[in-house]
Amino acid sequence: ASSRALRTDKDASLVDEVCFYMAPILVGGAIPVTSGRGVRDNEHAVRLSSVQFKRTGSEVRLTAIVLRT
């Protein structure tokens, strides 16, 4: 999915798991991880559990379960 997958906490209720790849490169520009308005504060943020990190070569993969509120 793209940065449009988690626009709101309502959209998060449709997602069970997230996976992000982090690589040691700079691509420039302002590219948000998610689109939409965001949240007012951390209290309203989408929470994750069972977070796992796995290094593959020079990249790191983060996987996590989306908690239901």
Side-chain angles (χ1 to χ4, degrees), residues 2 7 31 64:
S2 70
R7 289 184 180 189
I31 302 172

Side-chain angles (χ1 to χ4, degrees), residues 24-49:
I25 60 172
L26 298 175
V27 294
I31 302 172
V33 173
T34 63
S35 61
R37 295 183 313 207
V39 295
R40 290 188 307 262
D41 52 45
N42 286 345
E43 182 179 328
H44 296 93
V46 175
R47 302 288 178 190
L48 304 174
S49 70

